Amino acid sequence: MRNIIVIGGGAAGLMAAGTAAKNGNKVTIIEKNEVLGRKMLITGKGRCNITNACEDTEELIKNMTKNASFMYSSFYGFTNLQTIEFFNEIGVETKVERGNRVFPVSDKSKTVVDALSNWTKSQGVKVINDTVLNLVSEGNMVKGVRLKNKGELLCDSVILATGGVSYPRTGSTGDGYEWAKKLGHKINKPIPSLVPLDTVEEWSYSLAGLSLKNIEITVLNEKNKKVYTDFGEMMFTHTGITGPVVLSASAHLRPMEYGKYKVRIDLKSALSEKQLDERIMRDFAKNLNKNLDNSLDELLPKNLIEPIIALAEVDGKKKVNSVTKEERQKLGFAIKNIMLTVSDFAPIEQAIITSGGVEVNEIDPSTMESKLVKNLYFAGEIIDVDAYTGGFNLQIAFSTGYAAGMSV
C-alpha cells in the first residue's frame, strides 16, 4: 500500500484520490477550503455541466483550444461516456441538453459534488482541511508536503490538482504553479480563457443585461482576417460583452492587445442582406406614417433600436414613408455588422478557466507524472490545456485525474 497525497479537492483531485484509493492505496486529500468541490458548485451556472456527450474521443480533441494532442492518452483512458456511466453508478442521474451538454437531472451542482465526495470517502480517502506551504523534496524526488497547521507529512507520491487562478475565491490562487516552478517546471503564463471581453465602444455599455439569441459573431484581427466565428447567444455587460459565443471566442484571442481584435455581430445571420431588406420593407409597409424609431419593434429588441439607427447614421425621427432605399440598406447593413473593438479580457477572476500552467512537454501524457521530478503527478487545470465551454474542461479534469490516480 502506497501513501498518496492529493493537493486540491476539486473535480480532478477528487477523481484522482478516489481512483488511487480504489486501487489499494492510502490516500489523503489536502484541501484548504472547508468544503470539497467548491469551484464545481458554481460551474454551469450552478447546474454543473459534467461532460459532453459527443460521440467519440476525436470530437473531444476537436473541442480543445490548447495542447490538444497531450490529451489523447487520458481521454482514451477515461472517456466522456465512461464519465457519464461513472456518475450514473454513484447515484447521479444525468440528462443531455443542447450542444450535447450533460447535466444532473436535479439541475444542482451540489448533487454532483456530494456524490463525488461521498464516493471518495467510500474508497477510504481521508480529507485534511489545511493549507499547504510547500512540497518536501530530496534531489529530484518529492517526499511529502509541509502544512500550515499539521507540519510535515511524508508520502510516496503527490498529485497536484490545485487548479489555475480563475475564481480565486474558490481556492484557485495559483499556489501549485509556484511549487512546480520551484522544482524546475516551466510555467506558461496564466491568462484568462472562456472569459467576457471588455470593449472600447461606450455606447454599448448602456445595453448591459441585454441578451441576444440566434446571433452570429465573427472575430477579426488587425489585418481584417477572420480569427473565429460562432452562432448562438451573447449578452452585453457594463464593460463589454459575454455569453457562450463570446466566452468561446476569448480562447482564440492570443496574444491579447488593445484594439487588435474586432467583434462583428450579425443580429440576423439567417437572412441574407437581400432577405433582410425585404423583411425591413414589409415592416415599413405596416408603419408608413410612423417615425423610423417606432417602426422596428418586430425586428429588433427595443433597447437596440436607437443604437442601430445611430450606427446606420439615419435620422430616427424621419417618417418611414420618406426613408430612402439607401438609408434602408444602411439600416440593414448596421443590423448585420455591429462592430465592437476589444480592449482586453475581463479580469481573470471572471474567467471560467485559466489558460497556461505547467508545460505539457514536462509531463508524461499517459501517467500525468512529471518527467523532471519523481513521484510528482499533475491533474486538471494546473496543466497547460484548455477547451471550449460545453463540459469539455470538466472532462479534462476527470480524465487527467483518473490517469494520475491509476498511475500512482
Side-chain angles (χ1 to χ4, degrees):
M1 180 182 285
R2 288 170 56 80
N3 187 3
I4 313 298
I5 288 178
V6 179
I7 307 178
L14 287 167
M15 180 59 78
T19 303
K22 191 175 181 181
N23 286 331
N25 298 297
K26 179 186 175 187
V27 183
T28 304
I29 292 175
I30 312 293
E31 171 55 58
K32 60 184 174 183
N33 290 319
E34 290 290 318
V35 293
L36 296 169
R38 196 165 167 191
K39 188 174 178 181
M40 287 178 71
L41 289 170
I42 61 173
T43 61
K45 297 179 181 176
R47 296 172 60 218
C48 194
N49 184 183
I50 298 168
T51 186
N52 193 281
C54 56
E55 290 185 7
D56 57 35
T57 302
E58 288 299 324
E59 194 65 28
L60 290 178
I61 295 293
K62 286 178 187 174
N63 280 278
M64 296 285 298
T65 56
K66 194 174 185 187
N67 293 325
S69 59
F70 176 81
M71 288 301 301
Y72 268 104
S73 292
S74 55
F75 274 164
Y76 275 103
F78 193 71
T79 68
N80 55 327
L81 300 181
Q82 284 174 283
T83 298
I84 296 168
E85 186 180 346
F86 166 77
F87 277 103
N88 291 164
E89 285 176 356
I90 65 171
V92 179
E93 283 187 81
T94 54
K95 59 181 177 178
V96 180
E97 297 187 1
R98 182 179 55 81
N100 283 323
R101 289 167 163 83
V102 179
F103 290 93
V105 169
S106 68
D107 281 330
K108 293 177 181 176
S109 298
K110 194 173 186 301
T111 305
V112 179
V113 174
D114 287 350
L116 193 54
S117 301
N118 291 336
W119 171 71
T120 59
K121 288 170 186 172
S122 73
Q123 302 303 319
V125 175
K126 180 183 176 185
V127 178
I128 295 177
N129 292 116
D130 204 340
T131 300
V132 176
L133 300 178
N134 214 332
L135 301 185
V136 178
S137 62
E138 189 178 294
N140 70 332
M141 185 181 295
V142 165
K143 308 283 282 187
V145 299
R146 189 168 290 110
L147 303 180
K148 182 178 179 181
N149 300 314
K150 295 188 181 292
E152 201 169 275
L153 287 184
L154 297 181
C155 63
D156 296 303
S157 295
V158 170
I159 300 175
L160 276 185
T162 50
V165 288
S166 56
Y167 292 121
R169 68 183 185 278
T170 65
S172 298
T173 50
D175 302 336
Y177 297 146
E178 292 304 312
W179 303 327
K181 189 176 180 181
K182 284 180 183 176
L183 291 171
H185 276 279
K186 178 184 176 184
I187 307 299
N188 295 321
K189 183 182 177 183
I191 61 171
S193 190
L194 305 186
V195 66
L197 298 175
D198 288 347
T199 53
V200 174
E201 291 77 11
E202 293 183 8
W203 65 262
S204 71
Y205 304 167
S206 63
L207 299 173
L210 174 64
S211 293
L212 302 174
K213 293 184 177 180
N214 302 320
I215 57 91
E216 183 178 86
I217 68 163
T218 302
V219 180
L220 305 167
N221 64 14
E222 73 275 28
K223 295 177 182 176
N224 220 35
K225 185 179 178 183
K226 188 187 293 184
V227 174
Y228 182 76
T229 188
D230 202 356
F231 176 85
E233 300 176 23
M234 62 158 283
M235 185 174 76
F236 290 97
T237 71
H238 291 290
T239 58
I241 52 178
T242 189
V245 296
V246 175
L247 298 179
S248 292
S250 72
H252 296 269
L253 307 192
R254 300 174 183 144
M256 171 56 75
E257 296 171 12
Y258 182 96
K260 180 180 174 73
Y261 303 101
K262 289 186 183 292
V263 177
R264 181 174 67 215
I265 304 167
D266 183 348
L267 299 175
K268 300 292 176 183
S269 61
L271 302 177
S272 66
E273 288 185 21
K274 183 175 181 292
Q275 289 170 325
L276 178 57
D277 190 48
E278 290 169 352
R279 165 69 197 273
I280 294 171
M281 283 194 287
R282 288 198 297 273
D283 284 5
F284 279 7
K286 301 177 193 174
N287 301 286
L288 286 174
N289 296 313
K290 286 186 177 181
N291 290 349
L292 176 60
D293 57 10
N294 285 325
S295 66
L296 299 171
D297 289 359
E298 292 183 23
L299 185 65
L300 298 169
K302 190 171 180 62
N303 293 3
L304 256 183
I305 293 174
E306 188 178 326
I308 289 292
I309 290 173
L311 290 171
E313 299 179 336
V314 179
D315 181 3
K317 298 305 176 186
K318 196 171 188 177
K319 294 295 182 187
V320 167
N321 57 22
S322 63
V323 173
T324 67
K325 179 182 178 182
E326 182 188 3
E327 288 173 328
R328 194 183 69 237
Q329 289 176 339
K330 284 170 71 176
L331 191 67
F333 182 83
I335 289 170
K336 290 184 72 66
N337 292 274
I338 298 175
M339 298 297 288
L340 295 173
T341 309
V342 179
S343 59
D344 202 352
F345 295 123
I348 198 164
E349 291 79 9
Q350 297 179 34
I352 292 177
I353 62 164
T354 305
S355 180
V358 179
E359 168 60 49
V360 296
N361 291 333
E362 298 173 354
I363 303 171
D364 185 322
S366 300
T367 64
M368 297 298 139
E369 185 174 14
S370 166
K371 293 179 180 179
L372 310 181
V373 183
K374 289 180 182 176
N375 301 330
L376 176 64
Y377 295 76
F378 300 95
E381 200 177 347
I382 190 172
I383 304 168
D384 189 11
V385 288
D386 46 86
Y388 291 125
T389 58
F392 300 104
N393 288 289
L394 267 181
Q395 185 60 48
I396 291 172
F398 296 136
S399 291
T400 57
Y402 181 83
M406 289 295 288
S407 303
V408 292

